[in-house]
Amino acid sequence: MTVPDLTARPIRIAIIGSGPAAFYAADYLLKPRARVAQIDLFDKLPTPFGLVRAGVAPDHQKIKSVTKIYDAVAANPNFRFFGNVEYGKHLSLADLKNYYHQILFATGAQTDRKMDIPGEELRGSYTATEFVAWYNGHPDYREREFDLAQECAAIVGVGNVAVDVARILSRTPDELAKTDIADYALDALRASQLKKIYLLGRRGPAQAAFTNPEIKELGELADADAIIAPQEAALDELSRAALDREKDPLTLKKTQLIQEIAARAPAGKSRQLYIRFLVSPVELIGDSNGHVIKMRVVKNKLAQSESGSLNAHATDQFEELPVNLVFRSVGYRGIALPEIPFNDRFGTILNQMGRVLDSTTHSPVTGLFCSGWIKRGPSGVIGTNKPDSVETANAMLEDIAAEKMFAPAHARAEQAAEFIRARQPNFFSYADWKKLDALEVARGAAQGRPRVKFTSVPEMIAALGRA
Amino acid sequence: MKIANILSAKGMNVFTVAPNQLLREAIHLLVQHNVGALVVAEKSDKPIGIITERDVVRAAAGNENFFAVRVGDVMTKDVITAAPEDDVKSVGQTMTTRRFRHMPILDRGKMVGIISIGDVLKAQLEEYEGLIETLNAQIAPG
Ligand SMILES: Cc1cc2nc3c(=O)[nH]c(=O)nc-3n(C[C@H](O)[C@H](O)[C@H](O)COP(=O)(O)OP(=O)(O)OC[C@H]3O[C@@H](n4cnc5c(N)ncnc54)[C@H](O)[C@@H]3O)c2cc1C
Ligand SMILES: NC(=O)c1ccc[n+]([C@@H]2O[C@H](COP(=O)([O-])OP(=O)(O)OC[C@H]3O[C@@H](n4cnc5c(N)ncnc54)[C@H](OP(=O)(O)O)[C@@H]3O)[C@@H](O)[C@H]2O)c1
């Protein structure tokens, strides 16, 4: 790609969001050959890293070390972070066009998908999205309450998020106390009365969305027995045939891990974690107070679609599970941003390989881009956002080379900073974050934990001595 | 990973051609939109076939006047479709074993896109790269 001489006119880019997608894009765009002068990263939270801070499970600390890579990006003198600044609240599209040549949205998937069954809104029925954000100390969710005084819970879905929720509900207080789980969540989980937890997959073992290390870990919990009925661990004919045909080693391994758990006798641990396959919830049933007391599920069988996918189809057999707590974990979903074309069917920004498209003409809108979960939907691990963001960043560089971008009236970095300060005097810089980070880690060290998080914005402002 | 995760970043355009249009027009559309296949449909509802670069070459090989042939006469009928909720892995496997490179995507009977084997391979490669990247990040010295 030919890169224009930009020394005379420094290109400035705004990135909305500070999760993995944002940082991988910033990293690529700040490479010397890209010749982008400066990147400002905004997040509605005072703290950066998106789901790496507010999603990744507290007992999986090692994963969070990816932030070292993001720290290195932030160390670039042409990078600035403005936390506690929200697109749609503090900044509008027109504002950004006044200060930047290009805008990249990397806002992730901020809400959840629904099951669309009766009773979904009963008391005691929650979403994994809110539960995860709560136990990870996300400021917008810290006031939520989860009724853990119940004995039997069901988690719907068998993706890695469902597994995270199952693990956090199954861990002992001592195990959790060594993590950076939010203090209020630790207290609530300490008082948990849960004895039985169901994890419900609508398809069979070979189609389960969880990955192999995750299911293996469920089989090795300190004080919870993972239990799988042998007949549900066995593969049906279609799955067996597909496995024989495709010989996918990871799926083969997954089915073996599942069968190993199924073959094991429970060791009499305090909690039982029942992993079920080929069942779909059809209704949540409440008591006279509107609290869940039962879940009706239908048994499924698999059928092959013409494209070869093995999908769940309901039979006429039903079963009732005596659950009084439900977490649906059937996927996240992006939310529409003001003035940005949205694909409501998929819950993503309307885009083509990262270029935002006009809702009527479906042709690219100059200057607007997206990457990460808001571009492709809520799928993939942290690193998957790297190739995704590189694709978008290349489209951005192509447009810069073709001179297709905004012509901001105030194209100097100081002008943008001044404007942001006027809109949000309490913004957090990266240096502010590093101070918070050091304080959190120090609070953690005192208790033998990786960190003790600040979970409210006023608390964070006070910690910086600004209140 | 589901087909929806590929389709989300492919825009909403499905390029179609009617069965009674001429190959001349189909070729023009292939070039204009820079795609390898067009869905053959009367409106943009259920596809009745698909016409690919390969079909065009095959038509040209036996016929000097292939420009004037009708799309409906050389298209592949009985087109196999997928749904946004289908697994990328299974769809990729079906394309490979049955040797075709494009699949129209129908969402509750309505056509919402088309994906190619190239799209599938790219998505799978990125998934794989993502796993490696995530693992590397954890072992990188801090
Ligand atoms: C519960 C959970 C656990 C996970 N665990 C793992 C794991 O262990 N390992 C792994 O590899 N992957 C894991 N993943 C996947 C990984 O987190 C995602 O692939 C990744 O975070 C997606 O990156 P993103 O940048 O697109 O979105 P996000 O990480 O969600 O970042 C989006 C950011 O945008 C900000 N934002 C949103 N709207 C606005 C706005 N209007 N203005 C300003 N800012 C805004 C948000 O505050 C957020 O910080 C997990 C996902 C979940 C949900
Ligand atoms: N440790 C890690 O690496 C880690 C941890 C957390 C998350 N992540 C990643 O983050 C991404 C998102 O994870 P996720 O768990 O939210 O999503 P996911 O992997 O897409 O799993 C969603 C689960 O919900 C099920 N489901 C969807 N709709 C349903 C319905 N109506 N009824 C019943 N079940 C339904 C799906 O079943 P079907 O398959 O049948 O559709 C699937 O089991 C994934 O890529 C995941 O790998 C990684």
Side-chain angles (χ1 to χ4, degrees):
Chain A
M1 195 188 320
T2 51
V3 180
D5 178 14
L6 299 170
T7 38
R9 187 187 46 178
I11 301 296
R12 305 192 62 256
I13 295 175
I15 301 183
I16 313 300
S18 69
F23 273 96
Y24 290 121
D27 187 26
Y28 193 80
L29 291 167
L30 285 171
K31 298 247 186 292
R33 68 182 159 69
R35 310 284 285 280
V36 168
Q38 194 168 45
I39 293 188
D40 288 348
L41 213 73
F42 297 90
D43 206 291
K44 64 177 182 183
L45 292 184
T47 55
F49 308 146
L51 286 169
V52 177
R53 180 174 165 100
V56 172
D59 59 340
H60 279 180
Q61 281 302 313
K62 207 152 175 248
I63 308 268
K64 296 182 188 251
S65 58
V66 296
T67 58
K68 286 182 301 204
I69 294 172
Y70 309 151
D71 275 337
V73 177
N76 188 309
N78 295 322
F79 174 100
R80 299 191 300 191
F81 175 67
F82 295 95
N84 207 18
V85 181
E86 180 171 348
Y87 174 82
K89 182 175 169 190
H90 304 103
L91 304 173
S92 70
L93 185 57
D95 295 333
L96 290 170
K97 283 184 185 175
N98 272 330
Y99 296 90
Y100 300 93
H101 294 88
Q102 291 180 325
I103 304 163
L104 167 63
F105 293 92
T107 48
Q110 299 293 312
T111 185
D112 68 291
R113 288 182 49 199
K114 292 208 165 14
M115 299 187 287
D116 288 325
I117 60 168
E120 195 162 2
E121 309 302 336
L122 284 173
R123 285 179 30 229
S125 164
Y126 306 106
T127 72
T129 313
E130 57 185 342
F131 185 62
V132 162
W134 172 77
Y135 69 59
N136 275 320
H138 189 301
D140 296 352
Y141 293 84
R142 56 168 277 151
E143 304 299 341
R144 295 291 158 102
E145 280 176 22
F146 296 90
D147 179 6
L148 301 173
Q150 307 291 342
E151 289 206 348
C152 185
I155 303 160
V156 183
V158 286
N160 282 337
V161 172
V163 173
D164 279 354
V165 171
R167 236 185 24 257
I168 295 303
L169 290 174
S170 307
R171 290 259 186 229
T172 65
D174 286 349
E175 288 177 298
L176 293 173
K178 296 190 195 97
T179 72
D180 66 357
I181 191 167
D183 277 338
Y184 55 76
L186 184 58
D187 291 341
L189 286 161
R190 229 185 251 291
S192 159
Q193 299 297 313
L194 280 177
K195 298 268 175 308
K196 261 190 194 178
I197 299 160
Y198 290 94
L199 198 56
L200 305 177
R202 64 173 163 181
R203 298 192 284 167
Q207 294 80 32
F210 51 60
T211 43
N212 294 344
E214 276 54 42
I215 181 65
K216 187 159 185 289
E217 194 178 9
L218 280 191
E220 297 165 350
L221 292 170
D223 199 23
D225 277 316
I227 300 167
I228 304 178
Q231 68 274 19
E232 287 190 7
L235 294 187
D236 67 302
E237 249 166 65
L238 287 171
S239 302
R240 165 65 52 210
L243 200 55
D244 287 346
R245 207 168 47 236
E246 296 165 14
K247 302 197 169 47
D248 174 30
L250 291 179
T251 309
L252 191 63
K253 179 77 191 165
K254 180 183 301 173
T255 56
Q256 284 166 355
L257 286 166
I258 289 169
Q259 277 155 15
E260 271 166 41
I261 294 176
R264 235 178 266 162
K269 297 178 180 175
S270 311
R271 288 184 173 130
Q272 286 89 47
L273 172 59
Y274 292 92
I275 307 171
R276 302 280 314 262
F277 294 104
L278 291 166
V279 286
S280 284
V282 288
E283 185 181 3
L284 303 185
I285 299 157
D287 61 14
S288 53
N289 299 319
H291 195 289
V292 189
I293 44 164
K294 270 190 286 200
M295 176 190 274
R296 200 166 140 77
V297 300
V298 65
K299 296 199 177 168
N300 294 328
K301 62 177 191 316
L302 296 178
Q304 190 155 22
S305 73
E306 64 176 12
S307 75
S309 192
L310 297 184
N311 298 339
H313 292 265
T315 66
D316 53 9
Q317 293 171 47
F318 295 86
E319 196 185 326
E320 276 181 2
L321 302 178
V323 303
N324 22 42
L325 198 55
V326 176
F327 297 93
R328 66 169 180 267
S329 181
V330 296
Y332 280 57
R333 189 180 151 84
I335 56 175
L337 294 161
E339 299 183 81
I340 306 302
F342 195 64
N343 180 338
D344 196 51
R345 171 65 175 91
F346 297 143
T348 52
I349 290 178
L350 186 60
N351 80 94
Q352 187 162 27
M353 294 164 89
R355 282 193 168 88
V356 177
L357 302 181
D358 183 276
S359 344
T360 335
T361 65
H362 292 181
S363 52
V365 185
T366 300
L368 301 185
F369 301 85
C370 60
S371 76
W373 278 16
I374 196 64
K375 169 185 173 188
R376 69 177 189 279
S379 161
V381 291
I382 292 165
T384 318
N385 300 293
K386 186 173 180 176
D388 180 304
S389 285
V390 166
E391 174 182 78
T392 300
N394 275 323
M396 295 170 79
L397 296 181
E398 225 170 75
D399 283 8
I400 293 172
E403 302 271 329
K404 275 192 286 183
M405 50 193 160
F406 300 129
H410 315 287
R412 291 204 326 275
E414 317 82 74
Q415 292 172 312
E418 211 170 290
F419 170 75
I420 296 158
R421 183 169 290 112
R423 286 290 171 87
Q424 171 53 298
N426 260 325
F427 74 82
F428 282 58
S429 68
Y430 209 79
D432 293 334
W433 154 244
K434 291 311 287 180
K435 276 184 222 155
L436 281 184
D437 182 38
L439 288 170
E440 288 188 346
V441 171
R443 302 199 310 178
Q447 299 178 22
R449 301 169 64 185
R451 71 174 66 237
V452 173
K453 287 181 180 174
F454 294 106
T455 59
S456 84
V457 178
E459 206 185 12
M460 296 180 198
I461 293 174
L464 291 180
R466 287 204 205 150
Chain B
M1 192 177 22
K2 307 273 180 162
I3 293 298
N5 300 118
I6 294 181
L7 220 48
S8 306
K10 283 212 65 176
M12 291 294 266
N13 291 325
V14 195
F15 302 113
T16 59
V17 61
N20 61 356
Q21 282 184 277
L22 303 180
L23 268 196
R24 179 191 319 282
E25 296 163 286
I27 292 169
H28 182 74
L29 288 170
L30 286 169
V31 173
Q32 182 192 342
H33 299 305
N34 191 24
V35 292
L38 300 168
V39 174
V40 186
E42 292 289 0
K43 292 237 171 54
S44 73
D45 49 14
K46 191 156 173 56
I48 54 175
I50 189 164
I51 179 159
T52 69
E53 292 160 329
R54 262 202 229 169
D55 297 325
V56 174
V57 172
R58 203 174 297 124
N63 184 351
E64 291 297 318
N65 302 317
F66 72 95
F67 276 122
V69 170
R70 294 204 184 273
V71 166
D73 294 331
V74 294
M75 69 181 186
T76 303
K77 297 190 189 91
D78 304 323
V79 53
I80 291 181
T81 64
E85 310 304 331
D86 286 349
D87 295 316
V88 170
K89 198 167 66 179
S90 312
V91 170
Q93 181 74 22
T94 302
M95 285 176 143
T96 317
T97 50
R98 303 188 56 177
R99 299 186 164 277
F100 51 80
R101 303 186 204 175
H102 297 88
M103 233 192 243
I105 312 299
L106 293 191
D107 189 16
R108 299 172 198 129
K110 190 175 172 290
M111 196 146 58
V112 290
I114 180 167
I115 60 157
S116 70
I117 186 73
D119 296 328
V120 169
L121 293 176
K122 173 171 166 278
Q124 290 180 326
L125 182 68
E126 291 188 0
E127 191 175 46
Y128 181 68
E129 282 174 13
L131 284 174
I132 307 266
E133 172 68 29
T134 309
L135 286 174
N136 278 343
Q138 290 169 60
I139 54 177

